[in-house]
Amino acid sequence: MAERPELAVVVIGLRAPAELVAAVRSALDQNAPFEVVVVNSGGGDVQALLGRAGLDVRVIEVGQRLFAGAARNIGLRRHKLRSSPSLPRIASPARAGQRSDDGGLWMADLSAVARA
């Protein structure tokens, strides 16, 4: 049985934006042992979108539109981690996975991109 990751990156989207592919790739390209969880709300088929791009990560689809905080909370509740960070750090997709000054891990937030 594989050991559970110590960190998680929760990537959130609204209506399955194509930019989720870049955000997930950015997270997976980091050299860190974490789980990537994608939470998409408001429709669309993120599993198919990511599958076409050859990406296999945990996906949570919610039919109704969620605000960023609610989507992020769903992702944090459903991850496989041993513990959760109490203060997640939010960043652009390009910064996902990078360490912050205090040792925390930045998480991608696509909510602004998804609203555009």
Side-chain angles (χ1 to χ4, degrees):
M1 179 179 195
E3 187 173 325
R4 291 182 293 179
E6 294 184 27
L7 303 170
V9 173
V10 178
V11 181
I12 61 176
L14 176 64
R15 298 186 191 106
E19 293 85 359
L20 282 174
V21 172
V24 171
R25 273 205 181 107
S26 174
L28 292 174
D29 285 346
Q30 305 304 312
N31 187 20
F34 53 73
E35 175 188 20
V36 175
V37 178
V38 177
V39 179
N40 182 65
S41 70
D45 190 350
V46 170
Q47 194 73 55
L49 175 72
L50 297 177
R52 285 190 300 273
L55 300 170
D56 182 25
V57 297
R58 176 180 263 219
V59 173
I60 301 165
E61 296 274 6
V62 179
Q64 68 186 32
R65 177 185 179 193
L66 299 175
F67 288 105
R72 196 173 302 115
N73 288 343
I74 287 172
L76 289 173
R77 279 195 305 266
R78 300 237 188 121
H79 64 67
K80 300 175 186 173
L81 301 181
R82 291 180 277 209
S83 63
S84 297
S86 58
L87 296 172
R89 292 137 183 96
I90 310 305
S92 67
R95 194 164 183 192
Q98 294 179 7
R99 294 275 177 191
S100 65
D101 292 339
D102 63 357
L105 189 70
W106 287 97
M107 297 190 306
D109 184 352
L110 287 183
S111 57
V113 173
R115 285 191 299 267

XYZ file of all heavy atoms in Angstrom:
850
model
N 0.830 -1.185 0.000
C 0.000 0.000 0.000
C 0.877 1.251 0.000
O 1.773 1.398 0.808
C -0.902 -0.030 1.227
C -1.798 1.149 1.373
S -2.804 0.907 2.870
C -4.026 2.111 2.587
N 0.614 2.159 -0.921
C 1.405 3.379 -1.038
C 1.123 4.302 0.143
O 0.006 4.383 0.626
C 1.078 4.086 -2.346
N 2.170 5.005 0.570
C 2.010 5.942 1.668
C 1.201 7.147 1.198
O 1.326 7.596 0.063
C 3.392 6.403 2.138
C 3.333 7.233 3.379
C 4.719 7.524 3.910
O 5.595 6.668 3.794
O 4.894 8.625 4.453
N 0.374 7.661 2.077
C -0.437 8.823 1.728
C 0.453 10.054 1.632
O 1.403 10.206 2.396
C -1.516 9.045 2.772
C -2.563 7.964 2.751
C -3.636 8.239 3.751
N -3.085 8.136 5.094
C -3.765 8.334 6.208
N -5.025 8.650 6.150
N -3.208 8.216 7.384
N 0.142 10.967 0.701
C 0.950 12.178 0.579
C 0.776 13.076 1.793
O -0.228 13.025 2.484
C 0.398 12.852 -0.679
C -0.977 12.305 -0.820
C -0.950 10.923 -0.242
N 1.786 13.904 2.042
C 1.733 14.819 3.172
C 1.117 16.157 2.810
O 0.723 16.904 3.687
C 3.138 15.032 3.720
C 3.721 13.768 4.317
C 5.076 14.011 4.938
O 5.350 15.147 5.356
O 5.856 13.071 5.008
N 1.047 16.482 1.533
C 0.546 17.768 1.077
C -0.509 17.571 0.005
O -0.546 16.531 -0.653
C 1.686 18.609 0.489
C 2.872 18.883 1.403
C 4.008 19.510 0.614
C 2.468 19.789 2.550
N -1.327 18.601 -0.201
C -2.324 18.560 -1.277
C -2.355 19.893 -1.998
O -2.097 20.936 -1.416
C -3.717 18.248 -0.735
N -2.665 19.826 -3.269
C -2.929 21.012 -4.072
C -4.366 20.876 -4.533
O -4.728 19.899 -5.183
C -1.985 21.112 -5.282
C -2.386 22.264 -6.187
C -0.539 21.258 -4.822
N -5.202 21.833 -4.160
C -6.595 21.833 -4.582
C -6.724 22.860 -5.702
O -6.485 24.044 -5.500
C -7.553 22.178 -3.421
C -8.989 22.215 -3.923
C -7.394 21.168 -2.289
N -7.072 22.383 -6.879
C -7.260 23.245 -8.042
C -8.756 23.379 -8.256
O -9.461 22.378 -8.352
C -6.592 22.637 -9.294
C -6.777 23.543 -10.498
C -5.112 22.367 -9.045
N -9.246 24.611 -8.300
C -10.688 24.811 -8.435
C -11.003 25.465 -9.770
O -10.212 26.242 -10.299
C -11.261 25.634 -7.271
C -10.641 27.021 -7.206
C -11.072 24.896 -5.963
C -11.237 27.908 -6.154
N -12.169 25.097 -10.322
C -12.596 25.669 -11.589
C -14.101 25.829 -11.632
O -14.826 25.188 -10.870
N -14.551 26.679 -12.518
C -15.971 26.904 -12.744
C -16.275 26.606 -14.200
O -15.665 27.196 -15.095
C -16.333 28.355 -12.405
C -17.778 28.778 -12.676
C -18.738 27.987 -11.792
C -17.933 30.274 -12.429
N -17.169 25.652 -14.431
C -17.595 25.250 -15.774
C -16.458 24.672 -16.610
O -16.357 24.927 -17.808
C -18.269 26.407 -16.486
C -19.522 26.877 -15.792
C -20.257 27.939 -16.596
N -21.290 28.536 -15.774
C -21.208 29.750 -15.241
N -20.179 30.521 -15.481
N -22.181 30.200 -14.488
N -15.569 23.933 -15.984
C -14.498 23.179 -16.659
C -13.681 24.020 -17.634
O -13.591 23.699 -18.816
C -15.085 21.959 -17.358
N -13.025 25.088 -17.161
C -12.229 25.906 -18.081
C -11.009 25.146 -18.595
O -10.412 24.345 -17.874
C -11.800 27.099 -17.217
C -11.765 26.545 -15.828
C -12.908 25.552 -15.780
N -10.644 25.402 -19.817
C -9.488 24.729 -20.427
C -8.204 25.007 -19.646
O -7.268 24.194 -19.669
C -9.334 25.173 -21.880
N -8.150 26.127 -18.930
C -6.955 26.481 -18.152
C -6.661 25.502 -17.026
O -5.553 25.492 -16.487
C -7.102 27.898 -17.573
C -7.115 28.995 -18.606
C -8.496 29.251 -19.202
O -9.466 28.564 -18.837
O -8.600 30.152 -20.035
N -7.629 24.671 -16.668
C -7.387 23.664 -15.625
C -6.256 22.724 -16.030
O -5.503 22.257 -15.178
C -8.650 22.865 -15.341
C -9.701 23.538 -14.480
C -10.955 22.688 -14.401
C -9.171 23.835 -13.103
N -6.137 22.437 -17.307
C -5.074 21.537 -17.776
C -3.711 22.113 -17.399
O -2.862 21.413 -16.841
C -5.181 21.296 -19.298
C -3.968 20.537 -19.820
C -6.463 20.542 -19.623
N -3.482 23.390 -17.676
C -2.200 24.024 -17.351
C -1.969 24.068 -15.843
O -0.844 23.847 -15.376
C -2.146 25.434 -17.931
N -3.011 24.339 -15.080
C -2.862 24.393 -13.620
C -2.490 23.035 -13.049
O -1.605 22.928 -12.202
C -4.148 24.900 -12.987
N -3.145 21.984 -13.529
C -2.845 20.635 -13.039
C -1.443 20.223 -13.467
O -0.680 19.665 -12.680
C -3.913 19.627 -13.513
C -3.490 18.204 -13.206
C -5.249 19.948 -12.852
N -1.088 20.507 -14.707
C 0.275 20.177 -15.174
C 1.320 20.899 -14.337
O 2.344 20.332 -13.976
C 0.443 20.565 -16.637
C 0.022 19.504 -17.569
C 0.745 19.624 -18.922
N 0.247 18.548 -19.758
C -0.572 18.713 -20.774
N -0.958 19.917 -21.129
N -0.981 17.676 -21.471
N 1.068 22.161 -14.033
C 1.997 22.936 -13.220
C 2.201 22.286 -11.855
O 3.319 22.167 -11.369
C 1.470 24.366 -13.057
O 2.272 25.090 -12.165
N 1.108 21.854 -11.262
C 1.204 21.200 -9.954
C 1.951 19.880 -10.049
O 2.822 19.582 -9.230
C -0.188 20.979 -9.378
N 1.630 19.080 -11.058
C 2.263 17.769 -11.198
C 3.743 17.869 -11.558
O 4.509 16.950 -11.271
C 1.528 16.937 -12.249
C 0.110 16.504 -11.879
C -0.566 15.812 -13.058
C 0.120 15.604 -10.656
N 4.152 18.967 -12.177
C 5.549 19.151 -12.578
C 6.455 19.512 -11.401
O 7.678 19.528 -11.553
C 5.667 20.233 -13.652
C 5.197 19.756 -15.014
O 5.030 18.527 -15.203
O 4.979 20.610 -15.890
N 5.886 19.802 -10.261
C 6.689 20.155 -9.091
C 7.338 18.902 -8.512
O 6.808 17.816 -8.602
C 5.822 20.828 -8.027
C 5.064 22.017 -8.523
C 5.960 23.075 -9.134
O 6.971 23.445 -8.554
N 5.578 23.559 -10.302
N 8.445 19.076 -7.899
C 9.149 17.955 -7.282
C 8.773 17.893 -5.799
O 9.583 18.176 -4.937
C 10.661 18.130 -7.453
C 11.417 16.907 -6.980
O 10.849 15.825 -6.881
N 12.688 17.078 -6.683
N 7.506 17.549 -5.546
C 7.011 17.486 -4.165
C 5.995 16.346 -4.067
O 5.246 16.101 -5.006
C 6.368 18.801 -3.763
N 5.980 15.653 -2.934
C 5.039 14.536 -2.761
C 3.657 15.010 -2.311
O 3.359 15.047 -1.130
C 5.710 13.697 -1.670
C 6.435 14.723 -0.847
C 6.882 15.789 -1.815
N 2.823 15.431 -3.256
C 1.492 15.856 -2.875
C 0.444 15.269 -3.805
O 0.732 14.813 -4.901
C 1.354 17.371 -2.795
C 1.791 18.119 -4.033
C 1.030 18.091 -5.184
C 2.951 18.855 -4.017
C 1.410 18.786 -6.313
C 3.350 19.557 -5.141
C 2.575 19.524 -6.292
N -0.778 15.299 -3.312
C -1.936 14.854 -4.085
C -2.557 16.080 -4.744
O -2.679 17.128 -4.128
C -2.958 14.200 -3.161
C -4.237 13.813 -3.870
C -5.315 13.340 -2.913
O -5.258 13.633 -1.707
O -6.236 12.672 -3.400
N -2.966 15.931 -6.002
C -3.685 16.991 -6.701
C -5.165 16.620 -6.710
O -5.534 15.531 -7.126
C -3.178 17.185 -8.136
C -4.024 18.210 -8.880
C -1.713 17.596 -8.128
N -5.999 17.536 -6.213
C -7.447 17.354 -6.205
C -8.049 18.500 -7.000
O -7.763 19.658 -6.720
C -8.016 17.375 -4.763
C -9.530 17.223 -4.766
C -7.366 16.296 -3.906
N -8.860 18.181 -8.011
C -9.526 19.198 -8.817
C -10.994 19.239 -8.420
O -11.667 18.202 -8.416
C -9.404 18.895 -10.319
C -10.174 19.920 -11.145
C -7.933 18.862 -10.744
N -11.487 20.422 -8.076
C -12.903 20.612 -7.760
C -13.466 21.546 -8.825
O -13.007 22.678 -8.966
C -13.108 21.211 -6.358
C -14.594 21.424 -6.088
C -12.482 20.326 -5.289
N -14.440 21.051 -9.587
C -15.082 21.849 -10.618
C -16.558 21.991 -10.279
O -17.215 21.019 -9.918
C -14.940 21.179 -11.982
C -15.563 22.011 -13.075
O -15.109 23.102 -13.360
N -16.632 21.502 -13.674
N -17.073 23.204 -10.407
C -18.489 23.418 -10.153
C -19.143 24.090 -11.346
O -18.472 24.655 -12.204
C -18.689 24.263 -8.887
O -18.271 25.593 -9.095
N -20.464 23.989 -11.407
C -21.216 24.685 -12.434
C -21.301 23.988 -13.776
O -21.715 24.577 -14.762
N -20.916 22.725 -13.848
C -21.043 21.979 -15.100
C -19.729 21.813 -15.838
O -18.686 22.293 -15.430
N -19.820 21.107 -16.946
C -18.629 20.776 -17.718
C -18.130 19.399 -17.323
O -18.588 18.823 -16.339
N -17.202 18.883 -18.072
C -16.673 17.543 -17.820
C -15.163 17.614 -17.654
O -14.407 17.413 -18.600
C -17.054 16.597 -18.962
C -16.744 15.146 -18.654
O -16.060 14.873 -17.641
O -17.179 14.282 -19.429
N -14.722 17.929 -16.446
C -13.299 18.073 -16.164
C -12.564 16.742 -16.324
O -11.437 16.707 -16.812
C -13.075 18.654 -14.747
C -11.620 18.576 -14.341
C -13.537 20.083 -14.711
N -13.195 15.650 -15.929
C -12.544 14.343 -16.054
C -12.160 14.091 -17.513
O -11.044 13.662 -17.803
C -13.472 13.236 -15.552
C -12.776 11.913 -15.330
C -11.887 11.931 -14.097
O -12.337 12.236 -13.016
N -10.629 11.610 -14.258
N -13.071 14.373 -18.450
C -12.781 14.190 -19.874
C -11.718 15.182 -20.352
O -10.808 14.819 -21.110
C -14.054 14.345 -20.695
N -11.815 16.431 -19.903
C -10.843 17.456 -20.278
C -9.437 17.045 -19.873
O -8.502 17.079 -20.678
C -11.221 18.788 -19.614
C -10.259 19.957 -19.797
C -10.328 20.490 -21.218
C -10.586 21.061 -18.795
N -9.293 16.625 -18.630
C -7.975 16.214 -18.140
C -7.538 14.901 -18.772
O -6.347 14.705 -19.056
C -7.997 16.107 -16.615
C -8.265 17.413 -15.864
C -8.342 17.153 -14.370
C -7.224 18.461 -16.181
N -8.484 13.995 -18.995
C -8.157 12.716 -19.630
C -7.600 12.904 -21.024
O -6.635 12.232 -21.421
N -8.191 13.818 -21.800
C -7.685 14.093 -23.153
C -6.267 14.636 -23.109
O -5.495 14.478 -24.052
C -8.608 15.084 -23.875
C -9.907 14.474 -24.340
C -10.684 15.404 -25.259
N -11.050 16.672 -24.652
C -12.150 16.892 -23.943
N -13.033 15.920 -23.760
N -12.407 18.083 -23.437
N -5.916 15.288 -22.014
C -4.573 15.838 -21.850
C -3.615 14.822 -21.219
O -2.453 15.133 -20.965
C -4.633 17.094 -20.993
N -4.108 13.615 -20.946
C -3.261 12.575 -20.358
C -3.007 12.758 -18.871
O -2.028 12.241 -18.348
N -3.883 13.474 -18.179
C -3.706 13.740 -16.750
C -4.677 12.895 -15.935
O -5.871 12.868 -16.218
C -3.940 15.220 -16.466
C -2.997 16.174 -17.210
C -3.458 17.611 -17.054
C -1.573 16.003 -16.720
N -4.154 12.227 -14.927
C -4.964 11.360 -14.086
C -4.842 11.821 -12.640
O -3.877 11.503 -11.950
C -4.499 9.911 -14.232
C -5.330 8.942 -13.417
O -6.503 9.265 -13.123
O -4.808 7.871 -13.074
N -5.813 12.626 -12.204
C -5.837 13.134 -10.829
C -7.244 12.965 -10.285
O -8.188 12.704 -11.025
C -5.413 14.619 -10.754
C -3.989 14.817 -11.215
C -6.356 15.498 -11.556
N -7.381 13.131 -8.999
C -8.695 13.043 -8.362
C -9.533 14.250 -8.781
O -9.082 15.389 -8.697
C -8.516 13.033 -6.856
C -9.814 13.031 -6.086
C -9.501 13.018 -4.633
N -9.593 11.636 -4.235
C -10.105 11.227 -3.085
N -10.484 12.087 -2.199
N -10.205 9.970 -2.810
N -10.760 13.993 -9.245
C -11.664 15.051 -9.699
C -12.970 14.964 -8.917
O -13.540 13.884 -8.770
C -11.956 14.934 -11.211
C -13.030 15.931 -11.640
C -10.679 15.136 -12.015
N -13.434 16.103 -8.450
C -14.721 16.200 -7.770
C -15.567 17.179 -8.572
O -15.178 18.340 -8.751
C -14.546 16.701 -6.325
C -13.636 15.746 -5.549
C -15.902 16.854 -5.643
C -13.108 16.321 -4.262
N -16.702 16.700 -9.078
C -17.616 17.538 -9.854
C -18.821 17.901 -8.984
O -19.409 17.026 -8.345
C -18.114 16.782 -11.090
C -17.041 16.439 -12.086
C -16.762 17.541 -13.088
O -17.325 18.647 -12.956
O -15.972 17.301 -14.000
N -19.185 19.163 -8.978
C -20.362 19.634 -8.254
C -21.220 20.378 -9.276
O -20.743 21.331 -9.900
C -19.972 20.575 -7.091
C -21.208 21.070 -6.366
C -19.025 19.863 -6.136
N -22.456 19.942 -9.453
C -23.315 20.525 -10.475
C -23.629 21.991 -10.281
O -23.673 22.758 -11.237
N -23.840 22.400 -9.042
C -24.172 23.801 -8.789
C -22.905 24.642 -8.721
O -21.831 24.139 -8.423
C -24.955 23.942 -7.487
C -24.121 23.619 -6.256
C -24.936 23.607 -4.988
O -26.102 23.264 -5.000
N -24.309 23.967 -3.886
N -23.039 25.932 -9.003
C -21.901 26.829 -8.931
C -21.504 27.049 -7.475
O -22.360 27.304 -6.630
C -22.252 28.174 -9.553
C -21.107 29.139 -9.434
C -21.449 30.504 -9.929
N -20.269 31.340 -9.748
C -20.291 32.637 -9.842
N -21.411 33.250 -10.129
N -19.199 33.320 -9.670
N -20.236 26.930 -7.201
C -19.714 27.183 -5.864
C -18.777 28.383 -5.905
O -18.087 28.604 -6.894
C -18.924 25.969 -5.356
C -19.668 24.658 -5.213
C -18.698 23.555 -4.820
C -20.791 24.785 -4.198
N -18.745 29.128 -4.825
C -17.743 30.165 -4.702
C -16.413 29.502 -4.349
O -16.357 28.338 -3.936
C -18.157 31.193 -3.650
C -19.295 32.052 -4.116
C -20.575 31.844 -3.624
C -19.092 33.047 -5.061
C -21.629 32.623 -4.059
C -20.145 33.834 -5.509
C -21.415 33.620 -5.011
N -15.326 30.230 -4.536
C -13.985 29.661 -4.383
C -13.776 28.981 -3.028
O -13.234 27.879 -2.958
C -12.932 30.737 -4.606
N -14.205 29.617 -1.953
C -13.997 29.041 -0.618
C -14.711 27.716 -0.436
O -14.155 26.773 0.125
N -15.944 27.627 -0.915
C -16.708 26.375 -0.790
C -16.063 25.267 -1.609
O -15.938 24.122 -1.147
C -18.147 26.590 -1.234
N -15.622 25.581 -2.828
C -14.967 24.570 -3.671
C -13.664 24.102 -3.025
O -13.361 22.908 -2.983
C -14.703 25.140 -5.061
N -12.907 25.037 -2.507
C -11.639 24.691 -1.857
C -11.881 23.810 -0.640
O -11.166 22.821 -0.419
C -10.937 25.990 -1.455
C -9.493 25.834 -1.129
C -8.815 27.186 -0.912
N -8.939 28.037 -2.083
C -9.631 29.183 -2.107
N -10.244 29.629 -1.036
N -9.701 29.907 -3.199
N -12.895 24.119 0.148
C -13.201 23.321 1.338
C -13.591 21.893 0.964
O -13.217 20.941 1.653
C -14.314 23.972 2.145
C -13.847 25.222 2.854
O -12.649 25.455 3.012
N -14.788 26.050 3.253
N -14.348 21.732 -0.108
C -14.705 20.373 -0.562
C -13.443 19.600 -0.905
O -13.284 18.444 -0.524
C -15.669 20.440 -1.759
C -17.048 20.872 -1.271
C -15.743 19.101 -2.483
C -18.036 21.154 -2.391
N -12.532 20.222 -1.625
C -11.279 19.553 -1.983
C -10.458 19.176 -0.771
O -9.911 18.074 -0.695
N -10.378 20.072 0.201
C -9.602 19.773 1.407
C -10.230 18.655 2.224
O -9.530 17.840 2.816
C -9.454 21.032 2.265
C -8.529 22.102 1.696
C -8.594 23.373 2.534
C -7.100 21.588 1.601
N -11.577 18.587 2.242
C -12.244 17.514 2.994
C -12.080 16.152 2.329
O -12.119 15.132 3.000
C -13.733 17.822 3.133
C -14.047 18.790 4.238
C -15.516 18.799 4.580
N -16.363 19.064 3.435
C -16.814 20.252 3.076
N -16.494 21.316 3.773
N -17.596 20.388 2.022
N -11.912 16.124 1.020
C -11.886 14.849 0.302
C -10.492 14.352 -0.059
O -10.361 13.348 -0.735
C -12.716 14.967 -0.980
C -14.145 15.322 -0.702
C -15.082 14.300 -1.279
N -16.445 14.748 -1.164
C -17.267 14.923 -2.183
N -16.858 14.670 -3.402
N -18.488 15.322 -1.978
N -9.460 15.063 0.333
C -8.113 14.595 0.008
C -7.745 13.390 0.866
O -8.468 13.011 1.777
C -7.090 15.722 0.162
C -6.960 16.206 1.574
N -6.453 15.428 2.581
C -7.268 17.383 2.140
C -6.460 16.100 3.701
N -6.953 17.294 3.467
N -6.610 12.788 0.571
C -6.165 11.577 1.273
C -5.038 11.867 2.256
O -4.301 10.979 2.633
C -5.658 10.557 0.252
C -6.691 10.134 -0.753
C -6.052 9.231 -1.783
C -7.023 8.898 -2.881
N -6.387 8.158 -3.967
N -4.881 13.087 2.660
C -3.750 13.468 3.496
C -3.866 12.974 4.924
O -4.949 12.724 5.419
C -3.616 14.994 3.539
C -3.422 15.686 2.216
C -3.295 17.179 2.429
C -2.212 15.157 1.514
N -2.721 12.914 5.552
C -2.691 12.580 6.972
C -3.155 13.754 7.810
O -3.713 13.596 8.866
C -1.275 12.188 7.380
C -0.852 10.870 6.784
C 0.529 10.550 7.214
N 1.451 11.244 6.331
C 2.653 10.813 6.038
N 3.105 9.724 6.580
N 3.421 11.467 5.238
N -2.887 14.967 7.349
C -3.329 16.164 8.064
C -3.573 17.271 7.044
O -3.153 17.171 5.905
C -2.271 16.608 9.076
O -1.086 16.961 8.408
N -4.245 18.318 7.465
C -4.561 19.426 6.572
C -3.865 20.689 7.027
O -3.765 20.943 8.222
C -6.068 19.699 6.584
O -6.773 18.610 6.105
N -3.423 21.515 6.074
C -2.874 22.808 6.483
C -4.008 23.680 6.995
O -5.122 23.632 6.484
C -2.289 23.368 5.176
C -3.051 22.681 4.098
C -3.426 21.322 4.649
N -3.744 24.466 8.023
C -4.808 25.292 8.567
C -4.986 26.582 7.788
O -6.063 27.145 7.764
C -4.524 25.610 10.036
O -3.285 26.253 10.155
N -3.939 27.058 7.150
C -4.029 28.291 6.382
C -3.509 28.057 4.965
O -2.340 28.288 4.679
C -3.201 29.403 7.043
C -3.669 29.849 8.413
C -2.662 30.803 9.038
C -5.032 30.511 8.309
N -4.363 27.600 4.060
C -3.883 27.375 2.698
C -3.476 28.691 2.050
O -4.025 29.744 2.346
C -5.100 26.770 1.998
C -6.259 27.145 2.825
C -5.771 27.325 4.223
N -2.512 28.608 1.189
C -2.033 29.779 0.464
C -2.557 29.683 -0.959
O -2.484 28.627 -1.566
C -0.513 29.799 0.463
C 0.042 30.044 1.847
C 1.209 29.110 2.094
N 1.718 29.282 3.428
C 1.353 28.506 4.436
N 0.496 27.531 4.259
N 1.848 28.706 5.630
N -3.043 30.765 -1.500
C -3.670 30.753 -2.811
C -2.786 31.528 -3.784
O -2.285 32.601 -3.462
C -5.070 31.399 -2.755
C -5.891 30.787 -1.617
C -5.791 31.271 -4.083
C -6.015 29.278 -1.674
N -2.618 30.993 -4.993
C -1.753 31.634 -5.975
C -2.260 31.371 -7.376
O -3.197 30.614 -7.589
C -0.327 31.095 -5.836
N -1.607 31.968 -8.330
C -1.922 31.718 -9.727
C -1.474 30.302 -10.082
O -0.628 29.711 -9.394
C -1.192 32.717 -10.618
O 0.204 32.478 -10.556
N -1.999 29.715 -11.168
C -1.597 28.357 -11.552
C -0.093 28.197 -11.734
O 0.467 27.163 -11.410
C -2.332 28.139 -12.875
C -3.508 29.028 -12.801
C -3.058 30.237 -12.024
N 0.587 29.228 -12.207
C 2.034 29.129 -12.439
C 2.816 28.951 -11.143
O 3.915 28.406 -11.149
C 2.528 30.371 -13.165
N 2.250 29.365 -10.027
C 2.956 29.272 -8.748
C 2.550 28.036 -7.952
O 3.118 27.761 -6.903
C 2.686 30.533 -7.932
C 3.623 30.661 -6.770
C 3.619 32.050 -6.217
N 4.598 32.094 -5.137
C 4.706 33.069 -4.288
N 3.934 34.104 -4.389
N 5.594 33.028 -3.335
N 1.587 27.276 -8.428
C 1.114 26.100 -7.699
C 2.268 25.160 -7.410
O 3.081 24.862 -8.260
C 0.041 25.372 -8.501
N 2.336 24.694 -6.184
C 3.357 23.735 -5.798
C 4.620 24.350 -5.255
O 5.432 23.652 -4.666
N 4.828 25.640 -5.442
C 6.036 26.278 -4.922
C 5.919 26.474 -3.419
O 4.835 26.649 -2.884
C 6.254 27.636 -5.589
C 6.553 27.552 -7.056
C 6.740 28.936 -7.663
O 6.777 29.946 -6.980
N 6.855 28.959 -8.977
N 7.030 26.453 -2.752
C 7.051 26.678 -1.303
C 6.950 28.163 -1.000
O 7.553 28.987 -1.669
C 8.351 26.147 -0.698
C 8.470 24.659 -0.783
C 7.787 24.041 0.374
N 7.853 22.595 0.249
C 7.173 21.785 0.983
N 6.369 22.247 1.903
N 7.273 20.501 0.842
N 6.179 28.507 0.012
C 6.111 29.893 0.465
C 7.262 30.143 1.429
O 7.973 29.215 1.827
C 4.771 30.164 1.143
O 4.659 29.396 2.313
N 7.447 31.394 1.819
C 8.545 31.749 2.711
C 8.493 31.018 4.043
O 9.509 30.746 4.648
C 8.560 33.261 2.976
C 8.917 34.046 1.735
O 9.526 33.468 0.809
O 8.576 35.236 1.680
N 7.282 30.677 4.498
C 7.161 30.005 5.786
C 7.085 28.486 5.655
O 6.735 27.784 6.598
C 5.968 30.536 6.577
C 4.641 30.271 5.883
O 4.639 29.722 4.769
O 3.602 30.611 6.465
N 7.404 27.952 4.471
C 7.449 26.505 4.290
C 6.148 25.883 3.834
O 6.092 24.698 3.555
N 5.070 26.672 3.743
C 3.799 26.140 3.261
C 3.832 25.938 1.754
O 4.771 26.342 1.074
N 2.820 25.332 1.222
C 2.751 25.063 -0.204
C 1.660 25.920 -0.822
O 0.540 25.953 -0.334
C 2.439 23.585 -0.446
C 2.541 23.112 -1.873
C 4.006 23.105 -2.316
C 1.962 21.724 -2.013
N 1.973 26.620 -1.902
C 0.978 27.422 -2.604
C 0.013 26.508 -3.333
O 0.405 25.496 -3.891
C 1.646 28.337 -3.617
C 2.365 29.476 -2.989
C 3.690 29.541 -2.715
C 1.805 30.700 -2.548
N 3.990 30.740 -2.124
C 2.861 31.469 -2.012
C 0.519 31.224 -2.551
C 2.661 32.730 -1.487
C 0.322 32.492 -2.040
C 1.386 33.237 -1.510
N -1.259 26.874 -3.354
C -2.278 26.129 -4.089
C -2.773 26.990 -5.246
O -2.858 28.204 -5.126
C -3.466 25.785 -3.188
C -3.092 24.880 -2.028
S -4.515 24.255 -1.130
C -5.404 25.724 -0.689
N -3.093 26.354 -6.371
C -3.599 27.096 -7.521
C -5.039 27.506 -7.274
O -5.831 26.755 -6.743
C -3.511 26.232 -8.773
N -5.384 28.714 -7.676
C -6.752 29.195 -7.590
C -7.159 29.702 -8.965
O -6.685 30.723 -9.421
C -6.854 30.317 -6.564
C -8.277 30.813 -6.359
O -9.172 30.387 -7.121
O -8.490 31.613 -5.448
N -8.010 28.944 -9.639
C -8.455 29.328 -10.977
C -9.794 30.042 -10.949
O -10.379 30.268 -11.997
C -8.584 28.082 -11.852
C -7.275 27.470 -12.294
C -7.526 26.292 -13.203
C -6.399 28.478 -12.987
N -10.281 30.430 -9.791
C -11.610 31.021 -9.740
C -11.683 32.302 -10.564
O -12.660 32.547 -11.255
C -12.031 31.273 -8.294
O -11.081 32.095 -7.636
N -10.633 33.138 -10.537
C -10.659 34.368 -11.331
C -10.596 34.045 -12.818
O -11.273 34.671 -13.626
C -9.483 35.261 -10.926
N -9.801 33.072 -13.203
C -9.693 32.685 -14.603
C -11.017 32.108 -15.086
O -11.491 32.411 -16.163
C -8.561 31.644 -14.788
C -8.553 31.109 -16.213
C -7.224 32.254 -14.436
N -11.646 31.304 -14.242
C -12.890 30.644 -14.625
C -14.031 31.644 -14.807
O -14.930 31.415 -15.592
C -13.283 29.603 -13.579
N -13.975 32.767 -14.078
C -15.042 33.763 -14.199
C -14.888 34.613 -15.446
O -15.807 35.249 -15.887
C -15.049 34.671 -12.976
C -15.613 34.006 -11.749
C -15.851 35.034 -10.654
N -14.639 35.709 -10.232
C -13.874 35.330 -9.226
N -14.157 34.253 -8.553
N -12.808 36.020 -8.892
N -13.692 34.666 -16.013
C -13.424 35.535 -17.171
C -14.167 35.074 -18.409
O -14.582 34.001 -18.574
C -11.924 35.572 -17.432
